[in-house]
Amino acid sequence: MDQAPKDFFSDNHRVCGTVERVTFQSPESGFCVLRIRDNQGALVTVIGIAPQINKGVMIDATGVWVKDAKFGRQLKADQLRISQPASIDGMERYLASGLVPGIGPAFAERLIKAFGTDVFEVIENDPERLLEVDGIGRGRYKKILAAWSEQKTVRDIMVFLQGHGVSTGLAARIFKEYGNQSMECVAGDPYALARDLRGVGFVSADRIARNLGFAKDSDDRVAAGVEHVLQEISREGHTCYARVDLQKRAVELLEVGSEAVSQAIAAGLAQGRLVSIEAADQVALQVQHRAEKELARDLMRLAQMPASQGVADPEKAVAWVEGETGLALAEGQKEALLLALAHRLVVITGGPGVGKTTLLNSILKIHLAKRRKVVACAPTGRAARRLSESTGLLAKTIHRVLDFNPGTGGFRHHRENPLTGEVFVVDEFYMVDAILAWQLVRALPENASVLLVGDVDQLPSVGPGRVLGDIIDSGRLPVARLNQVFRQAAHSAIVTNAHRINAGHTPLPGGRGSDADMEDFYFIERDDPEAIADLVIGLVAERLPARLGVDPIEDIQVLTPMKRGELGTVSLNLRLQEVLNPDGTSVVRQGVCWREGDKVMQTINNYDKDVFNGDIGVVEKVDPAGGELMVRFDRQEVAYDLTELDELMHSFAVSIHKSQGSEFPVVVMPLHTQHYMLLQRNLLYTGVTRGRRLVVLVGSRRAVQLAVRQTGGRLRVTMLKNFLTSI
């Protein structure tokens, strides 16, 4: 076996040579595995990303050497440039490779014999001379010219992009997005990259723009910067922002004068890309403003329409459903059921153990007895499955109900093509952001009755808006709030402590200091972050699986308030991966190691793959040579190119925000005062209510007390409540 020098795997290396064989290339991602004959005559394996590589081309690759357990050492190229060969042998191999349709080995030999090293010059600048070669007629001649032109376009685009600071991987993605118009698109508006390509932020687009000569105070740059700030603000949950604060953040980002930013805001307002909310002196992105305004209008329209349930005597309906189910409804549940029968739109909210599921099933039983078509949905796949289990209905995600249309990039169901159904149930509605809520409500048919179910005290949606909270706070729509904890649920320490937390009281610890008499809620006090992390790892890897017979990957979920730090998701995921899944086929991508058996989470909605933000799965297969990962999400397997791994994150540990809509048999939650900025009552409450069989808090008593006391949090700036109250 070849011995590598000590710095072999650490320093950047360069390989120049001719492609002898294309072992693999993905037409979708451009990921390729190449065998290169370098300039010293040695055969080298290079992996990287580039569009349309064929045998015979010259490459100049720069990267680091890696050692694959199965395929040996390879140069993992972060820059991979393509050029035409310069030698007679290289030119003949290039032409004979099949890269140019119409030219095979025999014609390659004839062309080299006829034109020598001038063969490329002839094809490009004097192509009529090809007709001098025996066997090349007009048909073959046209085919050669068309293929040559296409290959030249790809090369020119790659040279242009790489010459302006664009990495090979990004250049391949740009070419996939814009095709032959890539140069024109990037040169004309490089800031469009931040809008059109996921993972390309303003900073990256700005670097490319500056390389292209865009001035620091150019109108395009400042306009793009203002919109970028508003996008960042929306990621914080806001749907609009004070103009003065928007201007301040944009000035800091762009390092330009406030006058230039003011002009960019004014231009955005004039062009309709931004909207001014004069009463509050706020600015919003057009789509956010439209979503909240139209959502408010549609919700009020539904609420003001007469009930269409056709229940002649609601009191008899209540008695009938109690007889059918054998369950006596509490007064609050009866009042909520009557409210649901009297209105087209009703919100049902309340914490764990208060009977939301019993109430919902009672309402649905009446509708189904009247043979009404019920459509059940929830924001995530896991939430939809739980809704199916609790109601017996086939529930889907909201995205699947609306039916994504790849051709238009939108949903197939909308105002002009509404959904079919009579009663629509949306569970875990607190997770639904303003845009998705708008898209769903605008797609409802005229005769729809709607039940919006969710716990308003949970963390708000990951996306922008505070839809459920704004609806309830507006006081304009029918709301049933359940607050009586039922006897069976009251025996659960998880339910009891969730309600204690929500009422501003510290949770009651279980276990009395040891796990000998473990209940379903347990608090282990530790003050040192390192000790907390060590205990969390020990609980997940050994103590809980041994005591409860649970699978540490499938059944136990670590939830933590933040991403960074010793107790953040990044550090805990690294440690848990090494303990729970240390071996197996792996691939490293952008410094992250992915192994067969890893627990992962989808981080964006991918309609083509039919997986959505928050879906949790396990890596079933890693194929380094093929550049692919296979992930099992419950009942389906999904393939990912290596260029798509930014859609995934390891999920041995996830943030409490990311756990929304999910339930887990066992939850382990570290808490420490180093999480100070994120310690809020609704965050602790959300984390505790994710556990079904057992919740274990590990951390400092001070951190728990802080979380219970702090209720202000980062208040979201939204307009839905205002729009509802003004109608």
Side-chain angles (χ1 to χ4, degrees):
M1 184 178 291
D2 294 339
Q3 294 297 313
K6 289 182 179 179
D7 65 346
F8 190 78
F9 297 102
S10 57
D11 294 347
N12 273 342
H13 289 260
R14 183 180 181 190
V15 169
C16 300
T18 306
V19 176
E20 291 274 319
R21 183 174 77 249
V22 180
T23 303
F24 172 84
Q25 181 160 35
S26 165
E28 290 298 316
S29 66
F31 176 81
C32 54
V33 180
L34 311 172
R35 289 291 281 171
I36 307 300
R37 179 75 64 182
D38 70 16
N39 293 340
Q40 285 72 46
L43 273 173
V44 178
T45 299
V46 174
I47 59 175
I49 298 174
Q52 301 182 24
I53 280 198
N54 284 70
K55 177 182 175 181
V57 301
M58 297 285 293
I59 69 159
D60 184 346
T62 304
V64 295
W65 292 102
V66 295
K67 192 169 185 178
D68 186 271
K70 183 176 180 182
F71 299 101
R73 67 182 191 187
Q74 306 168 332
L75 184 79
K76 181 183 176 184
D78 50 29
Q79 287 289 346
L80 205 160
R81 299 176 185 271
I82 310 167
S83 61
Q84 293 173 174
S87 69
I88 284 284
D89 288 344
M91 288 179 174
E92 185 171 347
R93 285 199 302 272
Y94 181 84
L95 292 171
S97 67
L99 177 69
V100 183
I103 302 178
F107 278 105
E109 185 179 352
R110 293 181 198 177
L111 287 168
I112 291 296
K113 190 175 290 186
F115 305 117
T117 55
D118 294 331
V119 64
F120 292 163
E121 179 72 20
V122 168
I123 296 173
E124 198 153 314
N125 297 316
D126 196 5
E128 287 283 338
R129 291 188 62 192
L130 295 176
L131 296 170
E132 301 171 9
V133 177
D134 186 35
I136 296 183
R138 282 287 169 183
R140 191 182 297 271
Y141 165 78
K142 289 179 181 178
K143 189 182 290 187
I144 292 170
L145 287 193
W148 190 265
S149 175
E150 182 180 346
Q151 291 300 316
K152 183 177 184 299
T153 299
V154 174
R155 286 197 306 274
D156 289 347
I157 288 170
M158 294 300 287
V159 168
F160 168 78
L161 293 174
Q162 291 176 337
H164 288 91
V166 180
S167 69
T168 304
L170 179 54
R173 290 178 61 200
I174 291 171
F175 181 74
K176 182 180 176 182
E177 178 73 22
Y178 301 128
N180 290 345
Q181 303 303 310
S182 297
M183 282 194 286
E184 291 83 352
C185 291
V186 174
D189 184 9
Y191 295 103
L193 297 174
R195 297 190 295 270
D196 297 342
L197 274 71
R198 183 181 180 275
V200 179
F202 173 80
V203 173
S204 297
D206 191 38
R207 183 175 61 250
I208 295 167
R210 300 301 296 276
N211 282 331
L212 286 164
F214 279 71
K216 192 174 186 178
D217 59 352
S218 71
D219 292 344
D220 287 340
R221 180 175 186 266
V222 181
V226 167
E227 290 192 33
H228 169 73
V229 171
L230 281 172
Q231 290 286 1
E232 288 295 302
I233 286 167
S234 74
R235 291 187 186 99
E236 296 169 9
H238 310 298
T239 58
C240 54
Y241 212 59
R243 186 191 298 251
V244 62
D245 293 329
L246 168 63
Q247 182 152 328
K248 180 180 178 182
R249 285 179 64 160
V251 166
E252 291 174 354
L253 170 73
L254 298 166
E255 298 179 337
V256 297
S258 59
E259 183 61 29
V261 172
S262 294
Q263 291 174 0
I265 294 173
L269 294 171
Q271 294 161 9
R273 292 180 289 106
L274 308 180
V275 177
S276 176
I277 304 167
E278 298 297 340
D281 195 25
Q282 291 171 331
V283 178
L285 291 168
Q286 190 272 341
V287 67
Q288 299 284 5
H289 182 267
R290 180 187 176 194
E292 289 193 302
K293 192 165 189 176
E294 292 192 10
L295 175 59
R297 182 194 66 194
D298 291 342
L299 288 171
M300 289 301 298
R301 176 184 58 79
L302 277 169
Q304 292 167 357
M305 290 176 69
S308 62
Q309 280 80 3
V311 178
D313 190 336
E315 293 286 351
K316 283 187 177 179
V318 173
W320 174 83
V321 82
E322 286 183 319
E324 287 291 308
T325 61
L327 297 172
L329 297 177
E331 279 306 309
Q333 290 175 313
K334 289 180 182 179
E335 291 173 6
L337 196 155
L338 292 171
L339 192 70
L341 296 178
H343 295 275
R344 286 287 188 96
L345 172 70
V346 171
V347 174
I348 299 171
T349 189
V354 297
K356 293 193 298 296
T357 299
T358 299
L359 170 62
L360 178 59
N361 282 329
S362 298
I363 297 170
L364 293 178
K365 198 166 191 67
I366 294 172
H367 284 302
L368 292 170
K370 295 289 184 178
R371 299 188 181 281
R372 298 193 178 97
K373 181 181 178 182
V374 178
V375 177
C377 59
T380 67
R382 287 188 168 224
R385 282 188 292 279
R386 288 210 321 276
L387 182 59
S388 292
E389 292 165 2
S390 63
T391 63
L393 299 171
L394 174 62
K396 300 179 180 179
T397 64
I398 296 172
H399 304 88
R400 287 175 181 144
V401 167
L402 292 173
D403 193 7
F404 182 70
N405 184 350
T408 63
F411 293 115
R412 286 192 170 90
H413 292 290
H414 42 71
R415 204 177 301 282
E416 289 71 39
N417 181 33
L419 295 160
T420 58
E422 296 169 283
V423 180
F424 291 81
V425 178
V426 190
D427 200 14
E428 305 285 14
F429 191 68
Y430 68 91
M431 294 177 59
V432 180
D433 62 43
I435 297 287
L436 186 57
W438 166 56
Q439 289 168 325
L440 175 62
V441 173
R442 72 198 284 256
L444 296 175
E446 285 290 328
N447 66 338
S449 295
V450 185
L451 298 168
L452 303 177
V453 185
D455 184 352
V456 73
D457 295 316
Q458 301 276 344
L459 286 168
S461 59
V462 174
R466 184 179 169 267
V467 179
L468 183 58
D470 281 350
I471 287 173
I472 293 172
D473 290 348
S474 73
R476 297 299 309 278
L477 302 174
V479 176
R481 181 151 197 165
L482 305 179
N483 50 33
Q484 178 183 342
V485 179
F486 287 90
R487 186 179 303 168
Q488 184 176 356
H491 289 301
S492 165
I494 294 175
V495 172
T496 299
N497 279 320
H499 285 279
R500 284 184 61 83
I501 291 165
N502 207 28
H505 305 301
T506 55
L508 298 172
R512 308 300 176 217
S514 107
D515 62 359
D517 53 348
M518 183 179 290
E519 302 170 7
D520 66 350
F521 183 95
Y522 197 73
F523 175 59
I524 305 175
E525 190 171 354
R526 295 287 188 278
D527 289 319
D528 178 61
E530 184 177 350
I532 295 172
D534 289 344
L535 183 52
V536 166
I537 304 301
L539 285 167
V540 174
E542 298 174 3
R543 290 172 62 178
L544 294 177
R547 181 65 183 271
L548 301 176
V550 293
D551 185 285
I553 293 179
E554 296 280 353
D555 298 326
I556 303 176
Q557 185 60 60
V558 175
L559 301 180
T560 181
M562 62 196 305
K563 180 179 178 180
R564 304 199 181 280
E566 196 168 8
L567 299 174
T569 58
V570 175
S571 176
L572 289 174
N573 270 315
L574 285 171
R575 292 192 61 182
L576 286 166
Q577 182 192 42
E578 287 307 308
V579 172
L580 299 178
N581 192 35
D583 303 312
T585 304
S586 66
V587 65
V588 177
R589 183 77 180 165
Q590 295 179 335
V592 179
C593 177
W594 303 88
R595 294 191 183 117
E596 290 178 358
D598 279 351
K599 187 176 182 180
V600 297
M601 176 183 279
Q602 177 76 12
T603 60
I604 66 165
N605 295 327
N606 188 319
Y607 302 99
D608 294 329
K609 296 183 185 297
D610 201 30
V611 288
F612 303 97
N613 187 7
D615 286 351
I616 292 178
V618 174
V619 178
E620 290 280 280
K621 182 181 179 183
V622 175
D623 182 3
E628 185 177 85
L629 256 69
M630 190 69 71
V631 180
R632 172 177 53 82
F633 292 98
D634 291 312
R635 300 177 184 87
Q636 64 171 332
E637 290 190 345
V638 180
Y640 291 82
D641 283 323
L642 296 189
T643 56
E644 298 173 318
L645 295 186
D646 59 349
E647 295 186 14
L648 296 173
M649 60 175 283
H650 282 100
S651 62
F652 301 101
V654 299
S655 70
I656 296 172
H657 282 84
K658 282 287 187 183
S659 73
Q660 288 175 281
S662 297
E663 279 189 354
F664 311 96
V666 179
V667 164
V668 178
M669 193 186 325
L671 285 176
H672 192 267
T673 50
Q674 66 178 212
H675 300 146
Y676 178 79
M677 294 299 293
L678 293 172
L679 291 177
Q680 297 289 328
R681 183 182 298 173
N682 60 357
L683 181 132
L684 179 57
Y685 174 75
T686 299
V688 168
T689 55
R690 298 308 90 202
R692 189 165 62 245
R693 180 177 173 184
L694 174 69
V695 172
V696 182
L697 298 186
V698 183
S700 69
R701 189 172 299 277
R702 171 69 174 157
V704 174
Q705 292 170 341
L706 281 172
V708 169
R709 283 205 302 264
Q710 296 184 150
T711 59
R714 299 178 179 179
L715 296 177
R716 294 189 171 191
V717 184
T718 64
M719 289 301 296
L720 179 60
K721 176 184 173 182
N722 301 62
F723 290 142
L724 286 168
T725 54
S726 64
I727 294 176

